[in-house]
Amino acid sequence: MSTHGPDEPYDTVRNAGRAAEFDTAMDLTARQTRTTDGAIRERENGPLPSAHRENGLSGRRAAMVRAAKDAIETNLDKRDLSPAMVARLLGVSLRTLHRSFAASDDSIMSFARRRRLEEAHGDLIRSGATTGISEIAARWHFSDASHFIRHFKSVYGTTPAAYLRNHSTRSRS
């Protein structure tokens, strides 16, 4: 009877990510394919969501993208978050990581930037006027307030200050 450590599912997905380096399923032995499929199911707790299939991602690449997004979520607050960091965490090459994201709707860093912007938006709403926009931008590792404001406006249609004014006016009504 074997015991399973807490990191075993993560290690299995890391190995599945390594399997993604093969260009085709033909390069995998039947045992490796079963192991990869099992890792995907174990990681995702069920069959792959239809969104991954619709986006043209193979099972292995979908598992790699999901594992990478999980790693990004876990490290969202770290200043040194980068594709190289994510690749190191997953135990795959940077090229493999980028290739896995190629068929998805996001690049690695656009996903991280969008998630940071969502977190900054939440902080802005929660803090109201008590926290400055520059402070929130710095907390979520935008290079400067103007960079944050530009991205915020492109997603929410207005500047953070105007958004906050409108949000607080609606809250009082």
Side-chain angles (χ1 to χ4, degrees), residues 12-125:
T12 305
V13 170
R14 185 182 323 173
N15 291 335
R18 287 189 183 116
E21 291 177 324
F22 294 103
D23 288 328
T24 67
M26 300 293 254
D27 294 327
L28 294 173
T29 66
R31 182 169 183 255
Q32 288 170 316
T33 302
R34 282 192 306 275
T35 302
T36 302
D37 291 342
I40 292 167
R41 275 191 221 90
E42 187 173 340
R43 182 73 174 140
E44 298 290 331
N45 291 324
L48 286 173
S50 60
H52 288 304
R53 284 186 231 113
E54 290 170 11
N55 289 339
L57 293 174
S58 71
R60 289 173 297 174
R61 288 190 178 175
M64 173 71 69
V65 169
R66 184 72 253 147
K69 286 181 176 182
D70 288 346
I72 290 167
E73 291 285 344
T74 302
N75 294 285
L76 207 53
D77 61 338
K78 296 197 172 51
R79 180 168 293 287
D80 61 342
L81 179 62
S82 67
M85 175 195 214
V86 174
R88 269 192 318 275
L89 290 170
L90 296 179
V92 299
S93 72
L94 188 56
R95 182 171 185 243
T96 296
L97 183 63
H98 281 295
R99 192 171 39 206
S100 295
F101 266 83
S104 75
D105 294 336
D106 269 332
S107 71
I108 298 160
M109 290 313 291
S110 67
F111 173 77
R113 187 174 30 258
R114 186 177 68 251
R115 285 295 300 122
R116 283 178 168 169
L117 188 60
E118 289 167 359
E119 293 295 326
H121 173 263
D123 281 358
L124 186 68
I125 297 300

Side-chain angles (χ1 to χ4, degrees), residues 89-171:
L89 290 170
L90 296 179
V92 299
S93 72
L94 188 56
R95 182 171 185 243
T96 296
L97 183 63
H98 281 295
R99 192 171 39 206
S100 295
F101 266 83
S104 75
D105 294 336
D106 269 332
S107 71
I108 298 160
M109 290 313 291
S110 67
F111 173 77
R113 187 174 30 258
R114 186 177 68 251
R115 285 295 300 122
R116 283 178 168 169
L117 188 60
E118 289 167 359
E119 293 295 326
H121 173 263
D123 281 358
L124 186 68
I125 297 300
R126 282 187 295 280
S127 70
T130 62
T131 305
I133 292 168
S134 294
E135 185 180 333
I136 291 172
R139 181 181 308 146
W140 290 105
H141 308 294
F142 285 90
S143 57
D144 56 40
S146 65
H147 184 234
F148 171 65
I149 291 167
R150 249 189 335 274
H151 283 290
F152 191 95
K153 189 173 183 178
S154 73
V155 171
Y156 296 101
T158 187
T159 65
Y163 186 90
L164 194 54
R165 276 192 305 275
N166 290 338
H167 181 72
S168 63
T169 302
R170 277 187 252 139
S171 297

